[in-house]
Amino acid sequence: MCGPQAAAQPGKQVLGLALICPVVVAEHAERDVPERTVLYRDPAVTGALDAEDARDYAEMAVTESQENWELFRDHALPGLRAFDRRAIGRIAGRQDHVVGYRDAFRLLEHYPRATMSVLDGAGHNAHLDQPDLVHTLLDEWLSRVAASQMSEVSR
């Protein structure tokens, strides 16, 4: 077993697990993904980019805007440029057409205290599409993990 489900195996050694748009089903053809959706297009943004940047951004953007492009450029594009595209071919925002969100619900049976959030207006780069909401959710999760750890220490 690999991926997010494998993290359930160590038991109490893992205090918590935060996943943002995780791959749950390895084979892309077997994933339950929604159709590619763009909620807002701004041709001025993509028109100002070179062809490769415009292609990569347009392939992932759910909401095209100058701010979203800058977040994508600074936080996602370096990874896209660095990874081996041939190798990746071998191996949950609501609009995530890359890994989808429905398959992630399978993880709930492994994590009885899990919180699952599906963010409208977010794709595979949910942390860039909805940064404030993702920050709030992660902050709340960290608080629960810390509280859980404190209750374990006091036992």
Side-chain angles (χ1 to χ4, degrees):
M1 181 181 300
C2 63
Q5 294 158 323
Q9 301 307 311
K12 292 187 179 199
Q13 293 175 325
V14 176
L15 297 176
L17 178 67
L19 303 169
I20 301 174
C21 304
V23 171
V24 177
V25 176
E27 289 296 325
H28 194 278
E30 295 176 20
R31 296 178 189 164
D32 184 359
V33 299
E35 184 177 315
R36 171 89 173 98
T37 303
V38 178
L39 299 176
Y40 177 77
R41 291 186 192 277
D42 186 345
V45 172
T46 54
L49 304 176
D50 68 46
E52 186 179 19
D53 287 351
R55 182 198 69 228
D56 289 341
Y57 178 59
E59 186 177 291
M60 297 300 293
V62 171
T63 302
E64 293 178 5
S65 69
Q66 187 62 37
E67 179 184 13
N68 187 272
W69 155 247
E70 290 169 3
L71 288 168
F72 181 82
R73 178 197 64 208
D74 296 346
H75 302 287
L77 200 54
L80 286 174
R81 296 291 186 260
F83 84 95
D84 181 338
R85 290 181 189 262
R86 288 187 329 212
I88 201 73
R90 295 189 300 266
I91 50 177
R94 190 165 183 86
Q95 285 79 29
D96 186 348
H97 69 290
V98 178
V99 299
Y101 67 93
R102 293 182 286 259
D103 291 328
F105 282 99
R106 297 179 192 178
L107 298 176
L108 291 175
E109 67 188 65
H110 298 281
Y111 302 97
R113 303 244 2 254
T115 297
M116 176 72 112
S117 298
V118 179
L119 311 181
D120 188 35
H124 188 60
N125 292 317
H127 61 296
L128 305 179
D129 296 331
Q130 296 284 351
D132 294 336
L133 185 50
V134 170
H135 179 268
T136 298
L137 289 166
L138 287 173
D139 189 50
E140 190 276 335
W141 171 77
L142 286 169
S143 296
R144 285 190 294 122
V145 169
S148 175
Q149 184 178 20
M150 292 305 292
S151 68
E152 286 291 319
V153 169
S154 65
R155 285 186 188 177

